[in-house]
Coordinates of all heavy atoms in Angstrom, one line a residue:
M18 N 88.2 3.5 -39.2 CA 89.0 4.6 -38.9 C 88.1 5.8 -38.8 O 87.3 6.1 -39.7 CB 90.1 4.9 -39.9 CG 90.9 6.0 -39.6 SD 92.2 6.1 -40.9 CE 93.3 7.3 -40.1
R19 N 88.1 6.5 -37.7 CA 87.3 7.7 -37.4 C 88.0 9.0 -37.8 O 89.1 9.2 -37.5 CB 86.9 7.7 -35.9 CG 86.0 8.8 -35.6 CD 85.5 8.7 -34.2 NE 84.8 9.9 -33.8 CZ 85.2 10.8 -33.0 NH1 86.3 10.6 -32.3 NH2 84.5 11.8 -32.7
S20 N 87.3 9.8 -38.5 CA 87.8 11.1 -39.0 C 88.0 12.1 -37.8 O 87.0 12.2 -37.0 CB 86.9 11.7 -40.1 OG 87.4 13.0 -40.4
Q21 N 89.1 12.7 -37.7 CA 89.4 13.7 -36.6 C 88.8 15.0 -37.0 O 88.8 15.9 -36.1 CB 90.9 13.7 -36.4 CG 91.5 12.4 -35.9 CD 91.4 12.2 -34.4 OE1 91.3 13.2 -33.7 NE2 91.3 11.0 -34.0
T22 N 88.5 15.3 -38.3 CA 88.2 16.6 -38.7 C 86.7 16.8 -39.0 O 86.2 17.9 -39.4 CB 89.0 17.0 -40.0 OG1 88.7 16.1 -41.0 CG2 90.4 17.0 -39.6
L23 N 85.9 15.7 -39.0 CA 84.5 15.8 -39.4 C 83.7 16.7 -38.5 O 83.0 17.6 -38.9 CB 83.8 14.4 -39.4 CG 82.4 14.4 -39.8 CD1 82.2 14.8 -41.2 CD2 81.8 13.0 -39.6
L24 N 83.8 16.6 -37.2 CA 83.0 17.5 -36.2 C 83.5 18.9 -36.3 O 82.6 19.8 -36.5 CB 83.2 16.9 -34.8 CG 82.3 17.7 -33.8 CD1 80.8 17.6 -34.1 CD2 82.6 17.1 -32.4
P25 N 84.7 19.3 -36.3 CA 85.1 20.7 -36.4 C 84.7 21.3 -37.7 O 84.2 22.4 -37.8 CB 86.6 20.7 -36.3 CG 87.0 19.5 -35.5 CD 85.9 18.5 -35.9
M26 N 84.8 20.5 -38.8 CA 84.4 21.0 -40.1 C 82.9 21.2 -40.2 O 82.4 22.2 -40.7 CB 84.8 20.0 -41.2 CG 84.4 20.4 -42.6 SD 84.8 19.3 -43.9 CE 83.8 17.9 -43.4
S27 N 82.1 20.3 -39.6 CA 80.7 20.4 -39.6 C 80.2 21.7 -38.8 O 79.3 22.4 -39.2 CB 80.0 19.2 -39.0 OG 80.4 18.1 -39.8
I28 N 80.9 21.9 -37.6 CA 80.6 23.0 -36.8 C 80.9 24.3 -37.5 O 80.1 25.3 -37.6 CB 81.3 23.0 -35.5 CG1 80.8 21.8 -34.6 CG2 81.2 24.3 -34.7 CD1 81.6 21.5 -33.4
T29 N 82.0 24.4 -38.2 CA 82.4 25.5 -39.0 C 81.5 25.9 -40.1 O 81.0 27.0 -40.3 CB 83.8 25.4 -39.5 OG1 84.8 25.1 -38.4 CG2 84.3 26.6 -40.3
V30 N 81.1 24.9 -40.8 CA 80.2 25.1 -42.0 C 78.8 25.5 -41.5 O 78.2 26.4 -42.0 CB 80.1 23.8 -42.8 CG1 78.9 23.9 -43.8 CG2 81.4 23.6 -43.5
F31 N 78.3 24.9 -40.4 CA 77.0 25.2 -39.8 C 77.0 26.7 -39.4 O 76.1 27.4 -39.7 CB 76.6 24.3 -38.7 CG 75.4 24.7 -38.0 CD1 74.1 24.4 -38.6 CD2 75.4 25.4 -36.8 CE1 73.0 24.8 -37.9 CE2 74.3 25.8 -36.1 CZ 73.0 25.5 -36.7
L32 N 78.0 27.1 -38.6 CA 78.0 28.5 -38.1 C 78.2 29.5 -39.2 O 77.6 30.6 -39.2 CB 79.2 28.6 -37.1 CG 79.0 27.9 -35.7 CD1 80.2 28.1 -34.9 CD2 77.7 28.5 -35.1
S33 N 78.9 29.1 -40.2 CA 79.1 30.1 -41.4 C 77.8 30.2 -42.1 O 77.4 31.4 -42.4 CB 80.2 29.5 -42.3 OG 80.2 30.3 -43.4
V34 N 77.1 29.2 -42.4 CA 75.8 29.3 -43.2 C 74.8 29.9 -42.3 O 74.0 30.7 -42.8 CB 75.4 27.9 -43.6 CG1 74.0 27.9 -44.2 CG2 76.4 27.3 -44.7
F35 N 74.8 29.6 -41.0 CA 73.8 30.2 -40.1 C 74.0 31.7 -40.0 O 73.0 32.4 -40.0 CB 73.9 29.5 -38.7 CG 72.8 29.9 -37.8 CD1 71.5 29.5 -38.0 CD2 73.1 30.6 -36.6 CE1 70.5 29.9 -37.1 CE2 72.1 31.0 -35.7 CZ 70.8 30.6 -35.9
T36 N 75.2 32.1 -39.9 CA 75.5 33.5 -39.8 C 75.0 34.2 -41.1 O 74.4 35.3 -41.1 CB 77.0 33.8 -39.7 OG1 77.4 33.2 -38.4 CG2 77.3 35.3 -39.6
Y37 N 75.3 33.6 -42.3 CA 74.9 34.2 -43.5 C 73.4 34.3 -43.6 O 72.8 35.3 -44.0 CB 75.4 33.4 -44.7 CG 74.7 33.6 -46.0 CD1 75.0 34.8 -46.7 CD2 73.8 32.8 -46.5 CE1 74.3 35.1 -47.9 CE2 73.2 33.0 -47.7 CZ 73.4 34.2 -48.4 OH 72.8 34.5 -49.5
Y38 N 72.7 33.2 -43.2 CA 71.2 33.2 -43.2 C 70.6 34.3 -42.3 O 69.7 35.0 -42.7 CB 70.7 31.8 -42.8 CG 69.2 31.7 -42.6 CD1 68.4 31.7 -43.8 CD2 68.7 31.7 -41.4 CE1 67.0 31.6 -43.6 CE2 67.3 31.7 -41.2 CZ 66.5 31.7 -42.3 OH 65.1 31.6 -42.2
L39 N 71.1 34.3 -41.1 CA 70.6 35.3 -40.2 C 70.8 36.8 -40.7 O 69.9 37.6 -40.6 CB 71.2 35.2 -38.8 CG 70.7 34.0 -37.9 CD1 71.5 34.0 -36.6 CD2 69.3 34.1 -37.7
L40 N 72.0 37.0 -41.1 CA 72.3 38.4 -41.6 C 71.6 38.8 -42.9 O 71.2 39.9 -43.0 CB 73.8 38.6 -41.7 CG 74.6 38.6 -40.4 CD1 76.1 38.7 -40.8 CD2 74.2 39.7 -39.5
S41 N 71.4 37.8 -43.7 CA 70.7 38.1 -45.0 C 69.2 38.2 -44.9 O 68.5 38.9 -45.7 CB 71.1 37.2 -46.1 OG 70.7 35.9 -45.9
T42 N 68.6 37.5 -44.0 CA 67.2 37.4 -43.9 C 66.6 38.3 -42.8 O 65.6 38.9 -42.9 CB 66.6 36.0 -43.6 OG1 67.2 35.5 -42.5 CG2 67.0 35.1 -44.8
W43 N 67.3 38.4 -41.6 CA 66.7 39.2 -40.5 C 67.2 40.6 -40.4 O 66.6 41.4 -39.6 CB 67.0 38.4 -39.2 CG 66.2 37.2 -39.0 CD1 65.4 36.5 -40.0 CD2 66.2 36.4 -37.9 NE1 64.9 35.4 -39.5 CE2 65.3 35.2 -38.2 CE3 66.7 36.4 -36.6 CZ2 65.1 34.3 -37.2 CZ3 66.5 35.5 -35.7 CH2 65.6 34.4 -36.0
T44 N 68.2 40.9 -41.1 CA 68.7 42.3 -41.1 C 68.6 42.9 -42.5 O 68.3 42.2 -43.5 CB 70.2 42.4 -40.6 OG1 71.0 41.7 -41.6 CG2 70.3 41.7 -39.3
S45 N 68.9 44.1 -42.6 CA 68.8 44.8 -44.0 C 70.2 44.8 -44.6 O 70.4 45.5 -45.6 CB 68.3 46.2 -43.8 OG 69.2 46.9 -43.0
L46 N 71.1 43.9 -44.2 CA 72.4 43.8 -44.7 C 72.4 43.1 -46.1 O 71.6 42.2 -46.3 CB 73.3 43.0 -43.8 CG 74.8 43.2 -43.8 CD1 75.1 44.6 -43.5 CD2 75.5 42.3 -42.8
S47 N 73.2 43.6 -47.0 CA 73.1 43.0 -48.4 C 73.7 41.6 -48.4 O 74.4 41.2 -47.4 CB 74.0 43.8 -49.3 OG 75.3 43.7 -49.0
E48 N 73.4 40.8 -49.4 CA 73.8 39.4 -49.4 C 75.3 39.3 -49.5 O 75.9 38.4 -48.9 CB 73.2 38.7 -50.6 CG 71.7 38.4 -50.4 CD 71.2 37.4 -51.5 OE1 72.0 36.6 -52.0 OE2 70.0 37.4 -51.7
N49 N 76.0 40.2 -50.2 CA 77.4 40.2 -50.3 C 78.1 40.4 -48.9 O 79.0 39.7 -48.6 CB 77.9 41.2 -51.3 CG 77.6 40.9 -52.7 OD1 77.4 39.7 -53.0 ND2 77.6 41.9 -53.5
K50 N 77.6 41.3 -48.2 CA 78.1 41.6 -46.8 C 77.8 40.4 -45.9 O 78.6 40.1 -45.0 CB 77.6 42.9 -46.3 CG 78.2 44.1 -47.0 CD 77.6 45.4 -46.5 CE 78.2 46.6 -47.3 NZ 77.6 47.9 -46.8
S51 N 76.6 39.9 -46.0 CA 76.3 38.7 -45.2 C 77.2 37.5 -45.5 O 77.6 36.8 -44.6 CB 74.8 38.3 -45.5 OG 73.9 39.3 -45.1
M52 N 77.5 37.3 -46.8 CA 78.4 36.2 -47.2 C 79.8 36.5 -46.6 O 80.5 35.6 -46.1 CB 78.5 36.1 -48.7 CG 79.3 35.0 -49.2 SD 78.8 33.4 -48.7 CE 77.3 33.1 -49.7
A53 N 80.3 37.7 -46.7 CA 81.6 38.1 -46.2 C 81.6 37.8 -44.6 O 82.6 37.3 -44.1 CB 81.9 39.6 -46.5
A54 N 80.5 38.2 -44.0 CA 80.5 37.9 -42.5 C 80.5 36.4 -42.2 O 81.1 36.0 -41.3 CB 79.2 38.6 -41.9
G55 N 79.8 35.6 -43.0 CA 79.8 34.2 -42.9 C 81.2 33.6 -43.1 O 81.6 32.7 -42.4
V56 N 81.9 34.1 -44.1 CA 83.3 33.7 -44.3 C 84.2 34.0 -43.1 O 85.0 33.2 -42.7 CB 83.9 34.3 -45.6 CG1 85.3 34.1 -45.7 CG2 83.1 33.7 -46.8
L57 N 84.0 35.2 -42.6 CA 84.8 35.6 -41.4 C 84.5 34.7 -40.2 O 85.5 34.3 -39.5 CB 84.6 37.1 -41.0 CG 85.2 38.1 -42.0 CD1 84.7 39.5 -41.6 CD2 86.7 38.0 -42.0
V58 N 83.3 34.4 -40.0 CA 82.9 33.5 -38.9 C 83.6 32.1 -39.1 O 84.0 31.5 -38.2 CB 81.4 33.4 -38.8 CG1 81.0 32.2 -37.9 CG2 80.8 34.7 -38.3
A59 N 83.6 31.7 -40.4 CA 84.2 30.4 -40.7 C 85.7 30.4 -40.4 O 86.2 29.4 -39.8 CB 83.9 30.0 -42.1
I60 N 86.4 31.5 -40.7 CA 87.8 31.6 -40.5 C 88.1 31.6 -39.0 O 88.9 30.9 -38.5 CB 88.4 32.8 -41.2 CG1 88.3 32.6 -42.7 CG2 89.8 33.1 -40.7 CD1 88.6 33.9 -43.5
L61 N 87.3 32.4 -38.2 CA 87.5 32.5 -36.8 C 87.2 31.1 -36.1 O 87.9 30.7 -35.2 CB 86.6 33.6 -36.2 CG 87.0 35.0 -36.5 CD1 85.9 36.0 -36.0 CD2 88.4 35.4 -36.0
C62 N 86.1 30.5 -36.5 CA 85.7 29.3 -35.9 C 86.7 28.2 -36.2 O 87.1 27.4 -35.3 CB 84.3 28.9 -36.5 SG 83.7 27.4 -35.8
S63 N 87.2 28.1 -37.4 CA 88.2 27.1 -37.7 C 89.5 27.3 -37.0 O 90.1 26.3 -36.5 CB 88.4 27.1 -39.2 OG 89.7 27.3 -39.6
G64 N 89.9 28.6 -36.8 CA 91.1 28.8 -36.0 C 90.9 28.4 -34.5 O 91.8 27.9 -33.9
I65 N 89.8 28.8 -34.0 CA 89.5 28.4 -32.6 C 89.5 26.9 -32.4 O 90.1 26.3 -31.4 CB 88.2 29.1 -32.1 CG1 88.4 30.6 -32.0 CG2 87.7 28.5 -30.8 CD1 87.1 31.4 -31.8
L66 N 88.8 26.2 -33.3 CA 88.7 24.8 -33.1 C 90.0 24.1 -33.4 O 90.3 23.1 -32.8 CB 87.6 24.2 -34.1 CG 86.2 24.6 -33.8 CD1 85.2 24.1 -34.8 CD2 85.8 24.0 -32.4
K67 N 90.9 24.7 -34.2 CA 92.2 24.1 -34.5 C 93.0 24.2 -33.2 O 93.8 23.3 -32.8 CB 92.9 24.8 -35.7 CG 94.3 24.4 -35.9 CD 94.3 23.1 -36.5 CE 95.7 22.8 -36.9 NZ 96.0 21.4 -36.9
R68 N 93.0 25.4 -32.5 CA 93.7 25.5 -31.3 C 93.2 24.6 -30.2 O 94.0 24.0 -29.5 CB 93.6 27.0 -30.8 CG 94.4 28.0 -31.5 CD 94.3 29.3 -30.9 NE 95.2 30.2 -31.7 CZ 95.9 31.2 -31.1 NH1 95.8 31.4 -29.8 NH2 96.7 31.9 -31.8
I69 N 91.9 24.4 -30.1 CA 91.4 23.4 -29.1 C 91.9 22.0 -29.4 O 92.3 21.3 -28.5 CB 89.9 23.5 -29.1 CG1 89.4 24.9 -28.5 CG2 89.3 22.4 -28.3 CD1 87.9 25.1 -28.6
S70 N 91.8 21.7 -30.7 CA 92.3 20.4 -31.1 C 93.8 20.1 -30.8 O 94.2 19.1 -30.4 CB 92.0 20.2 -32.6 OG 92.6 19.0 -33.1
D71 N 94.6 21.2 -31.1 CA 96.0 21.1 -30.9 C 96.3 21.0 -29.4 O 97.2 20.2 -29.0 CB 96.8 22.3 -31.5 CG 96.9 22.2 -33.0 OD1 96.6 21.2 -33.6 OD2 97.2 23.3 -33.6
R72 N 95.6 21.7 -28.6 CA 95.7 21.7 -27.1 C 95.4 20.3 -26.6 O 96.1 19.7 -25.7 CB 94.9 22.7 -26.5 CG 95.2 22.9 -25.0 CD 94.5 24.1 -24.4 NE 95.0 25.3 -25.0 CZ 94.3 26.4 -25.2 NH1 93.0 26.4 -24.8 NH2 94.8 27.5 -25.7
K73 N 94.3 19.7 -27.1 CA 94.0 18.3 -26.6 C 95.0 17.3 -27.0 O 95.4 16.4 -26.3 CB 92.6 17.9 -27.2 CG 91.4 18.5 -26.5 CD 90.1 18.0 -27.1 CE 89.0 18.6 -26.4 NZ 87.7 18.1 -27.0
H74 N 95.5 17.5 -28.3 CA 96.5 16.6 -28.8 C 97.8 16.7 -28.0 O 98.5 15.7 -27.7 CB 96.8 16.9 -30.3 CG 97.8 15.9 -30.9 ND1 97.5 14.6 -31.2 CD2 99.0 16.1 -31.4 CE1 98.5 14.0 -31.7 NE2 99.5 14.9 -31.9
N75 N 98.2 17.9 -27.6 CA 99.5 18.1 -26.9 C 99.3 17.6 -25.4 O 100.3 17.0 -24.9 CB 99.9 19.5 -26.8 CG 100.4 20.0 -28.2 OD1 100.9 19.2 -29.0 ND2 100.4 21.3 -28.4
D76 N 98.1 17.7 -24.8 CA 97.9 17.2 -23.5 C 97.9 15.7 -23.5 O 98.4 15.1 -22.5 CB 96.5 17.7 -23.0 CG 96.6 19.2 -22.6 OD1 97.7 19.8 -22.5 OD2 95.5 19.8 -22.5
S77 N 97.4 15.0 -24.5 CA 97.4 13.6 -24.5 C 98.9 13.0 -24.7 O 99.2 11.9 -24.3 CB 96.5 13.1 -25.6 OG 97.0 13.4 -26.9
N78 N 99.7 13.8 -25.4 CA 101.1 13.3 -25.6 C 102.0 13.5 -24.4 O 102.9 12.8 -24.2 CB 101.7 14.1 -26.8 CG 101.3 13.7 -28.1 OD1 100.7 12.6 -28.2 ND2 101.5 14.5 -29.1
Q79 N 101.6 14.4 -23.5 CA 102.4 14.7 -22.3 C 102.2 13.6 -21.2 O 103.0 13.3 -20.4 CB 102.1 16.0 -21.7 CG 102.6 17.1 -22.5 CD 102.2 18.5 -22.0 OE1 101.5 18.6 -21.0 NE2 102.7 19.6 -22.6
N80 N 101.0 12.9 -21.3 CA 100.7 11.9 -20.3 C 101.3 10.6 -20.6 O 101.6 10.0 -21.4 CB 99.2 11.8 -20.1 CG 98.7 13.0 -19.4 OD1 99.4 13.7 -18.7 ND2 97.4 13.3 -19.7

């Protein structure tokens, strides 16, 4: 059985950690603000990927 959530979860975690890393190392932003930005990216990414997943699921049910 193949997991339906592994790829979206992996993308979300990667983008969140990547955002935190970039903001905390390449800018003068504090670590707390960088972490908050990473969390916001994770929330947005997860919402977008959920909508895409729901749209694909609904399209396959209509056919």
Side-chain angles (χ1 to χ4, degrees):
M18 179 176 194
R19 184 172 170 247
S20 174
Q21 298 276 331
T22 60
L23 180 64
L24 184 61
M26 180 182 64
S27 300
I28 292 171
T29 301
V30 169
F31 174 76
L32 289 177
S33 175
V34 171
F35 188 66
T36 300
Y37 166 72
Y38 173 76
L39 284 181
L40 291 177
S41 66
T42 57
W43 289 8
T44 66
S45 60
L46 206 57
S47 71
E48 284 193 26
N49 290 337
K50 290 180 182 177
S51 299
M52 183 62 73
V56 169
L57 287 175
V58 166
I60 292 170
L61 290 172
C62 181
S63 121
I65 290 168
L66 291 173
K67 175 72 172 154
R68 284 185 177 215
I69 291 171
S70 173
D71 287 348
R72 189 171 295 152
K73 283 183 180 181
H74 182 69
N75 288 338
D76 287 345
S77 66
N78 283 342
Q79 289 177 355
N80 291 335

